[in-house]
Amino acid sequence: MQKLLLTIHGMSCAACVQNIEKSLKKQHLIEDIQINLITKTALITPAQQNPQVKSQESATTQGGKIQEEQIQADKIIEAIKKLGYKPALHNPHNQQASFAPQIKNPSQVSGFSLGASPAKIHSLSPAKLTQQPAQTPTSPAKFVSLGEPATPESNLLDSARQIAEQAMQIAPESKHPLARAIDKLNELNDRLLTTPVRLGLSALCAGVVLYLSMLPMFFDSILVAPFDDMRVNFSAQLLCSLISMHVAREYYFKGFAALFAKTPTMDSLIAISTSAAFVYSVYVFWLGHGGHWYFESVCVIILFILLGKSLESNAKDKTTAVINALLQRNLPQVLRLDSRSPQSSAQPVESTISSQDIAIGDRLRILPGQMIPADGVVEEGEGDVDESMLTGESLPVYKRAGDRLCAGSLNTNRALIMRATSTSAQSTLGALQALALEAMSSKPSLARLADKIAAVFVPAVILIALVAFGLWAWLEGVAFGFSIFISVLVISCPCALGLATPMAVMIGTALANKHGIFVRQAQSFESLRKLSHVVFDKTGTLTQSTLEVVGVQSYDKGAMSENEILALAAGLEKGSEHIIAKAILQKAQETLPGENLPEFGGFDALAGVGMRASLKQDSREYRIGSKEMFQNHTQVQYKALQDFWQTPGHEQHICVYLGRESSGKSGDSSQDPYSKSSYEILGVIFLADSLRPHAQATINALKARGITPHILSGDGESNTAQVANTLGIARYKSHASPQDKLAYIHALQQRGEVVMMVGDGVNDVGALMAADISLSFSHASDVSKNAADIIVYHDDIARLDTLLRLSGDITRNIKENLFFAFVYNVICIPLACGVAYYPAGILLNPMIAAFAMSASSICVVLNSQRLWRFGDKG
C-alpha cells in the first residue's frame, strides 16, 4: 500500500493523537500511523482492503477504475473528519505540487538514493509520501488538492455546511440559498476572527465579566447603572460568555465530537467544564436562588486557553521555520534553454517552466540569487554556490564547468548554465526532504510511556472530577463541589505530555539538518545515547576517499616495464568506480597521456580481493587485487613476492598486485575463481592514503565518552595497522570481507554491546544493516546510504561527535519535559480535588487552574526551545 502524508488541523494534545490512532485502528483502516503533534502531520500506512469488499466498491464506480489506495484514503480522511479534525493531503511547499508524488523510482535519485532497508524499520520512500489519485466524475473520493491550503481551524457552522454539502450531492445543479449563506458566513468568520481579534475579544469579555461579578465582592457601590440591576448584570455576563464561547468555538466542536466518539481529549475537558459552568449559572439565575454565577470562570478560562495556545504557537514558529526552510526550498519556476527554435535559429530560446517540469538533460539558466532546482552539472559559467542548507558549511563553494550542483543550494553571484541530471522531485533535496519528514513523524521509545498515559488520561480525569464533585457536594454543598469539578477538568494538562517529545525531536531534527546531518528515525537520537562501540570502515571514512599511486614496480623489469604494468592495470580497472581503480586510472592519464589502454573483456569482480578479465589480444586472463589472490603461488614465486612485502616503506602503502595466467597452463580458475596456482606475478602498484582532517579528534572524542572505536578494513595488515596505531585504535581487523564485517558486528552485539557502523562502500552494507545504528556519507554508494540510519551530507567525520552531543541534549530535554509534565499533573490534579483544603485551607479557583494548565504547556515548549543553544555551542 502507498503511504499517505496528511496534514491534520485541530489537534491540541496527546489525547487528540491517541483519539485519531485508536479510531482508525478500531475501524481497521490503517496498519501503522505516526502523528506529529507539532507539525500537525500524520504518516499513514493504510490497511490492506478485503478483496471482496474491494471488488464490490470498485464495481460501483465507472469501469471499476478507482484504485484501492484512493478508496482507503477517502475512508481515512472521512473517519478523521468525523472526529472533528480537518485532514488534508500534505503540501509542504504551498505550491502547485509537492515533491513527493513526482518520484517514481527513488533508486534513480541522483547522488542520494533512498531505498527500503529490509533489516530495519522500513524507510520512507519519497514516492510513497502522498498520492494524488485520478478523479472520475462519479468518484465518491474527495481528495484535497496538494495545492489547496487546508483550513487551520474549524468553521463556525461546520455541521450545517456538511448538511448543505450532502444536499448538493443530491442536487448538484442548484445551490440552495442556505448553502450560499453558510459559505458567506464562514468566509466572514475566518476573515474577521484572526488570532489577535480572538484574544482581544476574549480579554474584553473577561474584563467586563470580572468587573460585573468579582469587584462588587470587594468594593461596595462600584457598579454603575444599569449594571447594578441583577437582571441587567446577568444579561451582560451572559452575553460576554456567549461571545467568548463563540471565539473559542473550535474547542466545543472538537471536544464534544471526541466525547461522543468515546475518545475525549483536552478539548473535551475545556468544553465540558465551561459548558457546565455556563449551564449551571443560567440554572441558578432561573431558579432565583441567588447562588454564585460562574460566567467569570467561563471567560477567564477561555482567555487563558487562547493566550496559552497563542504563546505556544509563537514558540513553535522558530522550529517550524527552520524545518520549512528545507521543505520549501524549491524554486517555483526556472529558465530552460531550448535549442529547437521555431525559426530554426542556432541561438537557444529561453522559456519559463515550472520546476516540477524539469526533465533529465534539460539545460537551465540559473540567475544570481536563485536556488538550484535539480541536481546537475555546470555547463557554462562559474561562480560561488551556497550549499549551507545541505552541508551546514557557511562558506560558499566555487563551481566551474563540470562541477556537480545539488538541488537546494543557492547560486550567489554569477549566472550559470547547468544540465539537469535529475528531475526536481528525484533530486538530492527531494530525498533529504523525505528524510526530514520521516524523522519528524517518527517517535523515540521514550514517547511510548507518554502515549500509554495519554490514552487513558482524559477519561480518568473526567472520572476523578465526577468523584470529587460528588464527595464535596455531600460535604460542603453543590456550589462548592461544582467549583472543584471545574477546577479538576481545567487544571489537568495532556498537552504537556503531548508536546514533551515531538517538540524536542523536531528542534533536534532541525539542528541536525543545519549541520548537514539527516536522521531517518527519531529513535536514532535515543540509540546514540546508549552507544558503546563504533566500528569504522577505513578507506573513505577515517582516511581520504581518494588514493594516490606513489609507485609502480615490475616483478621482472626485463620482461615488462613499469609503464606497461600501469597500462595493463588501468585497462583492467577501466569502468570501475572503486577508489583504487580511480587512483590507477588517474595515474595512467598523467603518466601515459593519449596512449590507448589494453582492451579487456569478460570482467568478473572477486568480492573482497580484486577482479579478473581476459586480454582481447591473446585471450589470457589477468588478475589485479590484494596479495591473498596470489599468496598460494609456487614457492619460488611466493618467496620473490615476499621480497616485495618486506621492502622498507611498503608497509605504509596499499599494495595492488597484477598477475597473468601462465602460458601453457589452463589452471582451474573456471571451477575455483580464487585459485592462484596458474598465475604469475607481473608487478605491484603502491598506493597511499591519508587520514581525514578530523579523524584523530573524532576518535579522541569517542574515547572520552567511553565509546570503544574499531576498524574493519579490506586492506592489508600493515596498512590497516598503521592507520589504527596512528589513531590510537587498539581493535582492528584487516583483510575483512563483507562476511567478516557482518560476523564482527554480530559478535559485539552478542556481548550486549550497542554498536554503530560507519561505512561508505558496497562491502559495508551488511554491517550497516546489522548494526544497532548506522551512519554513511553523501559520497557513499547508493546501497550504503539506503542501509544507513543517518546520512552526513558534508563528508566530515567530525559530524559524528556533533551528532553524539546533539543526541545527548535531545534525550535529556525529552526526559526533562516528560518529568515536568508528569509531576505537574501528579501534584496539581490532587490539589484541584481539594486534598489540601481541610489540612491547609488550600483550594484552587477554576481561573487559577486554567492559568496553571496554560502555563504548563508553555513551560514544556520553552524548555524545548533551550535546545537552540546547541547552535551556539556547536
Side-chain angles (χ1 to χ4, degrees):
M1 289 293 293
Q2 298 281 3
K3 286 187 178 181
L4 291 174
L5 185 63
L6 302 182
T7 299
I8 305 178
H9 290 289
M11 297 186 297
S12 57
C13 66
C16 296
V17 174
Q18 291 294 320
N19 181 12
I20 295 172
E21 291 181 356
K22 286 173 60 178
S23 179
L24 295 179
K25 288 179 179 179
K26 186 177 180 180
Q27 299 177 57
H28 306 290
L29 293 176
I30 62 172
E31 290 182 1
D32 184 53
I33 183 170
Q34 295 177 347
I35 300 178
N36 188 299
L37 184 61
I38 309 299
T39 58
K40 311 295 183 186
T41 56
L43 183 62
I44 300 174
T45 304
Q48 291 287 346
Q49 199 174 14
N50 184 289
Q52 184 176 0
V53 175
K54 174 185 172 184
S55 62
Q56 291 174 354
E57 291 182 342
S58 297
T60 64
T61 63
Q62 279 191 345
K65 295 181 179 179
I66 299 300
Q67 299 176 352
E68 177 186 355
E69 289 86 354
Q70 180 179 345
I71 297 173
Q72 287 293 87
D74 186 55
K75 287 183 176 181
I76 291 170
I77 290 174
E78 290 302 317
I80 296 174
K81 283 182 178 179
K82 289 180 181 179
L83 297 174
Y85 305 99
K86 304 289 288 186
L89 283 177
H90 181 68
N91 176 23
H93 309 303
N94 282 331
Q95 295 173 359
Q96 290 304 311
S98 169
F99 66 88
Q102 303 274 342
I103 300 180
K104 303 301 181 186
N105 185 3
S107 65
Q108 296 177 355
V109 174
S110 175
F112 205 119
S113 175
L114 286 177
S117 172
K120 295 182 181 286
I121 300 174
H122 67 274
S123 64
L124 177 65
S125 170
K128 298 181 179 182
L129 283 175
T130 55
Q131 183 180 16
Q132 191 172 9
Q135 297 285 340
T136 59
T138 58
S139 169
K142 300 292 182 182
F143 271 75
V144 180
S145 170
L146 288 174
E148 178 182 338
T151 305
E153 300 171 352
S154 298
N155 291 313
L156 174 64
L157 299 176
D158 197 31
S159 299
R161 173 193 275 182
Q162 292 178 6
I163 296 173
E165 288 177 347
Q166 292 173 2
M168 287 301 300
Q169 291 177 359
I170 298 173
E173 316 75 39
S174 61
K175 193 166 186 178
H176 196 278
L178 175 61
R180 289 197 295 270
I182 291 173
D183 290 341
K184 291 293 183 182
L185 186 56
N186 275 330
E187 182 181 349
L188 183 63
N189 254 333
D190 293 335
R191 185 180 303 171
L192 294 180
L193 291 182
T194 60
T195 298
V197 172
R198 291 173 186 271
L199 282 172
L201 283 175
S202 180
L204 177 62
C205 291
V208 171
V209 172
L210 286 173
Y211 165 72
L212 296 176
S213 63
M214 303 298 292
L215 289 184
M217 298 181 183
F218 305 99
F219 306 99
D220 295 333
S221 303
I222 194 172
L223 293 179
V224 299
F227 298 110
D228 52 353
D229 182 273
M230 184 180 68
R231 288 173 296 182
V232 175
N233 191 306
F234 173 83
S235 299
Q237 291 191 49
L238 178 69
L239 178 61
C240 288
S241 299
L242 288 172
I243 293 173
S244 291
M245 296 172 78
H246 171 70
V247 164
R249 65 194 183 280
E250 67 269 16
Y251 292 103
Y252 296 94
F253 291 155
K254 294 182 296 181
F256 284 118
L259 184 64
F260 296 150
K262 299 180 181 179
T263 53
T265 65
M266 185 210 74
D267 297 330
S268 302
L269 299 179
I270 296 171
I272 294 171
S273 59
T274 53
S275 297
F278 181 85
V279 172
Y280 180 80
S281 301
V282 173
Y283 174 75
V284 168
F285 175 78
W286 184 264
L287 293 180
H289 291 167
H292 181 70
W293 305 331
Y294 285 93
F295 292 126
E296 78 282 351
S297 295
V298 174
C299 295
V300 173
I301 287 171
I302 290 174
L303 173 61
F304 282 145
I305 296 298
L306 293 177
L307 181 62
K309 289 298 178 183
S310 177
L311 294 175
E312 179 184 313
S313 177
N314 291 336
K316 295 174 186 175
D317 285 345
K318 181 178 179 180
T319 306
T320 55
V322 175
I323 292 294
N324 288 336
L326 173 67
L327 299 184
Q328 297 177 0
R329 203 172 178 87
N330 288 68
L331 187 64
Q333 293 182 321
V334 66
L335 293 174
R336 181 174 63 187
L337 302 181
D338 190 351
S339 59
R340 295 171 295 180
S341 168
Q343 293 81 17
S344 299
S345 170
Q347 193 72 15
V349 175
E350 289 188 359
S351 59
T352 301
I353 63 170
S354 168
S355 62
Q356 303 297 326
D357 296 330
I358 294 174
I360 296 175
D362 281 351
R363 298 178 72 237
L364 309 173
R365 185 185 298 278
I366 310 300
L367 301 176
Q370 282 190 338
M371 297 289 175
I372 308 298
D375 293 343
V377 294
V378 179
E379 278 205 345
E380 297 179 24
E382 55 186 32
D384 292 325
V385 174
D386 179 3
E387 297 181 338
S388 59
M389 178 58 68
L390 306 176
T391 66
E393 288 295 324
S394 57
L395 293 177
V397 180
Y398 194 77
K399 301 286 186 177
R400 54 177 59 89
D403 287 345
R404 180 187 173 196
L405 296 172
C406 293
S409 52
L410 177 69
N411 182 25
T412 60
N413 53 7
R414 299 181 187 178
L416 300 173
I417 294 178
M418 63 171 285
R419 184 172 295 277
T421 57
S422 76
T423 65
S424 177
Q426 293 175 328
S427 66
T428 297
L429 178 64
L432 297 182
Q433 287 169 326
L435 280 178
L437 285 171
E438 184 180 13
M440 288 187 298
S441 299
S442 60
K443 294 180 180 180
S445 59
L446 282 173
R448 295 173 188 169
L449 177 60
D451 289 343
K452 290 178 181 179
I453 293 176
V456 297
F457 184 86
V458 176
V461 167
I462 294 175
L463 179 61
I464 292 171
L466 289 172
V467 172
F469 167 73
L471 179 62
W472 284 108
W474 175 63
L475 293 174
E476 298 288 340
V478 174
F480 189 92
F482 189 74
S483 176
I484 294 289
F485 173 76
I486 297 175
S487 295
V488 173
L489 291 180
V490 172
I491 204 168
S492 57
C493 188
C495 296
L497 288 173
L499 294 171
T501 299
M503 196 70 194
V505 167
M506 188 171 178
I507 294 176
T509 302
L511 285 168
N513 293 351
K514 285 181 66 177
H515 286 81
I517 303 168
F518 294 84
V519 180
R520 195 182 301 273
Q521 288 283 332
Q523 178 64 36
S524 298
F525 290 125
E526 189 175 350
S527 299
L528 285 165
R529 289 289 292 164
K530 305 174 184 177
L531 199 61
S532 58
H533 292 256
V534 176
V535 178
F536 294 94
D537 173 48
K538 181 180 70 67
T539 307
T541 303
L542 292 174
T543 60
Q544 299 284 7
S545 58
T546 58
L547 297 174
E548 180 185 2
V549 175
V550 294
V552 180
Q553 189 170 340
S554 173
Y555 173 73
D556 184 353
K557 293 186 178 181
M560 190 170 291
S561 68
E562 279 78 6
N563 283 352
E564 289 176 309
I565 296 292
L566 182 61
L568 284 168
L572 272 168
E573 297 285 13
K574 189 188 301 182
S576 174
E577 291 299 317
H578 196 279
I579 60 172
I580 291 179
K582 290 180 180 179
I584 293 174
L585 289 167
Q586 178 67 30
K587 184 67 174 179
Q589 291 174 3
E590 296 173 357
T591 308
L592 310 169
E595 185 172 324
N596 293 328
L597 299 176
E599 293 290 332
F600 288 87
F603 292 91
D604 183 19
L606 306 178
V609 294
M611 68 181 305
R612 63 180 179 177
S614 298
L615 185 65
K616 291 185 177 180
Q617 295 176 353
D618 60 8
S619 300
R620 276 200 289 181
E621 189 174 277
Y622 286 73
R623 291 190 179 188
I624 187 169
S626 64
K627 69 177 182 179
E628 283 72 29
M629 184 179 286
F630 302 102
Q631 65 185 9
N632 291 338
H633 222 271
T634 61
Q635 290 299 317
V636 175
Q637 291 266 357
Y638 186 71
K639 185 178 185 305
L641 190 60
Q642 285 180 315
D643 294 338
F644 279 120
W645 300 335
Q646 295 172 2
T647 302
H650 287 182
E651 69 275 2
Q652 300 178 7
H653 299 138
I654 298 172
C655 298
V656 177
Y657 302 91
L658 177 68
R660 179 178 59 193
E661 185 179 10
S662 300
S663 57
K665 295 183 180 181
S666 59
D668 58 353
S669 59
S670 59
Q671 288 78 26
D672 180 10
Y674 294 94
S675 173
K676 299 97 179 170
S677 60
S678 61
Y679 282 77
E680 57 182 341
I681 302 299
L682 300 177
V684 60
I685 299 173
F686 302 106
L687 300 98
D689 56 8
S690 57
L691 294 177
R692 283 185 172 273
H694 303 292
Q696 186 67 71
T698 301
I699 297 301
N700 293 341
L702 290 176
K703 290 181 177 180
R705 295 175 181 275
I707 299 173
T708 304
H710 304 248
I711 293 179
L712 290 181
S713 176
D715 285 352
E717 171 71 22
S718 59
N719 187 261
T720 304
Q722 184 210 5
V723 173
N725 294 333
T726 301
L727 293 174
I729 299 176
R731 304 185 183 186
Y732 64 90
K733 180 178 178 60
S734 59
H735 306 299
S737 66
Q739 294 77 12
D740 293 334
K741 293 183 178 184
L742 184 61
Y744 196 95
I745 297 292
H746 284 157
L748 288 174
Q749 291 173 326
Q750 288 171 2
R751 287 161 33 194
E753 307 291 353
V754 178
V755 184
M756 168 187 268
M757 177 68 195
V758 181
D760 63 346
V762 175
N763 59 343
D764 298 320
V765 172
L768 288 168
M769 295 174 66
D772 298 290
I773 186 167
S774 51
L775 184 147
S776 191
F777 300 89
S778 62
H779 71 263
S781 63
D782 286 346
V783 289
S784 298
K785 287 181 289 193
N786 293 342
D789 300 304
I790 301 166
I791 306 296
V792 176
Y793 194 83
H794 189 279
D795 297 332
D796 183 2
I797 192 66
R799 300 302 165 100
L800 175 57
D801 182 57
T802 301
L803 182 63
L804 290 172
R805 291 189 292 109
L806 179 59
S807 68
D809 287 359
I810 292 171
T811 307
R812 190 181 309 111
N813 192 272
I814 291 175
K815 290 179 179 179
E816 291 170 353
N817 288 344
L818 290 174
F819 176 79
F820 175 81
F822 289 143
V823 169
Y824 165 83
N825 284 288
V826 167
I827 293 176
C828 289
I829 290 178
L831 282 177
C833 288
V835 295
Y837 179 66
Y838 279 155
I842 298 175
L843 186 66
L844 294 181
N845 184 278
M847 293 181 286
I848 298 176
F851 175 79
M853 189 272 283
S854 298
S856 66
S857 296
I858 295 172
C859 287
V860 167
V861 172
L862 293 179
N863 185 56
S864 298
Q865 296 296 309
R866 294 191 305 114
L867 282 171
W868 291 114
R869 297 179 185 175
F870 181 87
D872 301 330
K873 297 183 294 183

